[in-house]
Amino acid sequence: MCIIVEFPQVALLPALLERFPRMTVVLEHLGMPQLGNGPPYTAIQPLFDLARFPNCLMKFSTVNIDAAMKGRSTCAPNSSAASWTASGRAA
């Protein structure tokens, strides 16, 4: 199931993921988090909390890059969006 939510709704996803562990959920655009506060991104902890669910996949897109560029987000040295494969692993 592919879903688009407003970020406050991301906190509701653990209940869904626990209730239906065999259903794969794809979270579009990482749930539209506010990235303007920069590292350590405490405001998006509900997104980090989803990492424990193997049935939750997250779509990272230019929407997220644009949001990050508008705030205090930083980029790791020598990193590039192109260095990531479709599987989400570093190339």
Side-chain angles (χ1 to χ4, degrees):
M1 169 192 308
C2 191
I3 61 172
I4 297 176
V5 299
E6 294 291 324
F7 193 74
Q9 297 168 313
V10 169
L12 303 173
L13 290 177
L16 176 75
L17 295 163
E18 289 170 351
R19 173 96 165 95
F20 301 101
R22 293 182 10 206
M23 177 178 66
T24 299
V25 172
V26 178
L27 181 59
E28 290 282 335
H29 310 293
L30 302 175
M32 306 297 285
Q34 297 298 314
L35 301 171
N37 67 334
Y41 303 103
T42 55
I44 62 170
Q45 186 60 47
L47 182 65
F48 298 144
D49 293 342
L50 296 176
R52 67 184 175 100
F53 294 99
N55 56 326
C56 182
L57 304 176
M58 298 182 200
K59 177 183 171 185
F60 175 81
S61 70
T62 56
V63 170
N64 305 112
I65 294 170
D66 291 342
M69 292 176 69
K70 291 178 184 173
R72 295 186 321 225
S73 298
T74 59
C75 182
N78 303 317
S79 68
S80 163
S83 68
W84 293 87
T85 66
S87 66
R89 293 183 179 86

